[in-house]
Structure formats: structure tokens, C-alpha cells
Amino acid sequence: QVQLEESGGGLAQPGGALRLSCATSGFTFGHYAMSWARQARGKGLEWVAGIQYDGSDKYYQDSVKGRFTISRDNAKNTLYLQMSSLKPEDTAVYYCAKALDSTVILTRSAYDYWGQGTQVTVSS
């Protein structure tokens, strides 16, 4: 059965860094695009970054460009999100999601499995 498990969230100071991981199992990880999305309290789901099945194409939301880096290790079946220069507005629950296909499409209907989420809080 497909499983996605995020880790690495926590409390960071403004300007700080965190690295999120999403360990996966139950499917051929290297065949599918993956994405990170986040949801702040009281707000809707927001796409953060996406990566093609082989890592050759990446997408970033404008607000995180230059600060966040999405990557994947297909040998370890793991997705990563390196976050730096964190801001209080980055505070949210971060989810990893498995796409239905190999390319990045940022609509909810294009994803069939989601992790349980990991809380990221940016505060001094």
C-alpha cells in the first residue's frame, strides 16, 4: 500500500532553515512526479514546489523562489524540501503528494496520495 511520511518540521527562527523529507513506499517512486504543498491555519491549500519524475524539471511558487529547493533521491524513494531564509508567513502544515503521472501538474486532482503533514512554525 502506498505510504508517504513527512518529517523534519519544527520551530525555526526567521531567517533560519529546515529540511523536510518525505519517505515513500508502496509504489515505484522514480516513475512519478512529486510535490510539496502547505496549508496555513484558516487558509486553503497552497502549492509550494513540484519535481518531475527524474528531477529534470522543477516548479516553485513565486513566494519561495530562491529560498526553497525541491529535490528527490529515487534510489532512496525520498522527496526533500530544503527551506532557507524562512519567514513567519512560511508557517503552515507541509504535505508531500504523489502525482498520478510523471510530470508536474499543480492541481489537486492530479495527485492521488498525500502524507499526513508536518508542522513548520517560523517565529522568534
Side-chain angles (χ1 to χ4, degrees), residues 1 6 9 22 27 40 48 85 95 103 107:
Q1 100 222 34
E6 302 95 339
C22 174
F27 65 103
V48 174
S85 302
Y95 300 92
T103 56
T107 59

Side-chain angles (χ1 to χ4, degrees), residues 82-106:
Q82 178 68 49
M83 307 186 292
S84 60
S85 302
L86 283 164
K87 303 176 181 180
E89 51 264 44
D90 295 319
T91 296
V93 177
Y94 283 71
Y95 300 92
C96 64
K98 170 192 168 293
L100 287 163
D101 205 342
S102 59
T103 56
V104 177
I105 299 175
L106 298 176

Side-chain angles (χ1 to χ4, degrees), residues 4-107:
L4 288 76
E5 184 172 0
E6 302 95 339
S7 61
L11 176 65
Q13 291 191 337
L18 286 173
R19 188 194 196 203
L20 305 185
S21 298
C22 174
T24 74
S25 62
F27 65 103
T28 306
F29 180 74
H31 287 185
Y32 297 93
M34 299 289 295
S35 289
W36 288 97
R38 66 187 180 187
Q39 187 165 23
R41 184 173 297 180
K43 296 189 177 181
L45 189 71
E46 178 183 52
W47 294 104
V48 174
I51 186 167
Q52 191 164 286
Y53 74 103
D54 59 357
S56 62
D57 189 25
K58 301 176 184 181
Y59 162 85
Y60 296 97
Q61 185 207 98
D62 286 345
S63 67
V64 308
K65 282 181 182 176
R67 301 189 299 120
F68 290 12
T69 302
I70 189 171
S71 63
R72 65 191 296 159
D73 186 334
N74 286 351
K76 295 183 178 180
N77 298 329
T78 303
L79 177 72
Y80 302 99
L81 185 68
Q82 178 68 49
M83 307 186 292
S84 60
S85 302
L86 283 164
K87 303 176 181 180
E89 51 264 44
D90 295 319
T91 296
V93 177
Y94 283 71
Y95 300 92
C96 64
K98 170 192 168 293
L100 287 163
D101 205 342
S102 59
T103 56
V104 177
I105 299 175
L106 298 176
T107 59

